[in-house]
Amino acid sequence: MTTRFSSAASALLLCGALLTHCTGGQESKAAEEQAPKKNGIAAAATAASTTETAAQPAPVDPKAALKSISPAIPIYAGARYRDDLTRRDSVMIRNQYGPTAEVYTLATDDSFPQVYHYYTTYLAQFRAYPSQPPYPPPQNWRTLEVQLNQAMQDPFIPGDTLKTTDKQVLLQVAETEAEPKTVIRYIITPAGAEQQKVAAK
C-alpha cells in the first residue's frame, strides 16, 4: 500500500514539476499569448487580389460623362447603363465613326413608345427640333435617331442649349425583340466626324 501511495505521490509531483516548468512557474494569460503567425500563402493571395482590384478600371458613369459635355443632354430616368451592350456596340460604332468614337448604351424594360414620348417631348422645347407625333407610328422595328447638337438649339424656354463644341452627340433609341425592351445609345464623336462620314459615302 505504501508503495502504491509513494508511486502515486511521485507521479503527482512529477506532473506538478512539469506544469510548473512549462509556464515558468506563472499562470499564463490570454493577453500574453502570442498570436499565430500569418499564413504566408493566404497573405500572398490577399495581396494579389488587392493588386487585381487596383488594376481593374473604374466603374463607368455615363450620366457624369454626358453631363460633362452639357448638362442639357436628356437622360431617360428609367434606363440603366449596360456595360455588356456598350462593349458590343463600341466595335460597330468605332468601325462606323472612327477609332475615337465613344458609345454609352443604356437599357430599359419600359416600352419604346414611353421612351420615344420622353425624348420627343423634351426636345420639343427647342425650335431647331422639328415637331414629332406624340407617339411613334406603328411598324415592325421602331427607332429614333437625333443629332442632339443640331436639335438642341434656340429653346422656347430660356435655358441650356447643347453648344456645338469639340464633341457631337448622336442619340439612338431602338426597340428590341427581347429583354430589355428599349435600348438607348449616346454616340459621342469629335466635331466633324459626322461630316467626314457623310463625305465618305
Side-chain angles (χ1 to χ4, degrees), residues 26-180:
Q26 300 174 357
E27 289 184 21
S28 70
K29 295 180 183 172
E32 295 172 359
E33 295 282 330
Q34 288 187 357
K37 291 185 179 178
K38 288 185 179 177
N39 184 345
I41 296 169
T46 305
S49 67
T50 307
T51 308
E52 286 172 13
T53 306
Q56 288 176 354
V60 176
D61 185 359
K63 290 181 183 178
L66 293 168
K67 294 299 181 188
S68 71
I69 296 169
S70 170
I73 293 174
I75 300 171
Y76 187 71
R80 290 186 326 260
Y81 173 72
R82 290 281 301 268
D83 187 57
D84 57 333
L85 298 178
T86 299
R87 278 187 273 113
R88 183 198 67 190
D89 291 342
S90 65
V91 175
M92 173 187 69
I93 296 304
R94 287 188 180 127
N95 285 340
Q96 191 172 358
Y97 294 96
T100 56
E102 299 174 71
V103 63
Y104 297 104
T105 304
L106 285 68
T108 178
D109 286 327
D110 292 347
S111 68
F112 179 82
Q114 284 177 278
V115 180
Y116 171 92
H117 184 71
Y118 165 76
Y119 282 107
T120 54
T121 302
Y122 180 87
L123 294 171
Q125 68 177 308
F126 298 94
R127 290 183 181 91
Y129 183 68
S131 64
Q132 302 289 321
Y135 294 100
Q139 56 190 20
N140 289 342
W141 297 109
R142 294 178 284 190
T143 61
L144 172 69
E145 185 171 294
V146 180
Q147 179 53 260
L148 294 180
N149 294 70
Q150 280 72 46
M152 293 173 64
Q153 299 297 320
D154 194 14
F156 286 104
I157 303 164
D160 289 329
T161 62
L162 182 55
K163 296 180 177 68
T164 307
T165 58
D166 56 339
K167 292 186 178 181
Q168 297 285 318
V169 182
L170 177 67
L171 169 71
Q172 289 182 343
V173 182
E175 187 174 35
T176 64
E177 188 176 18
E179 301 293 333

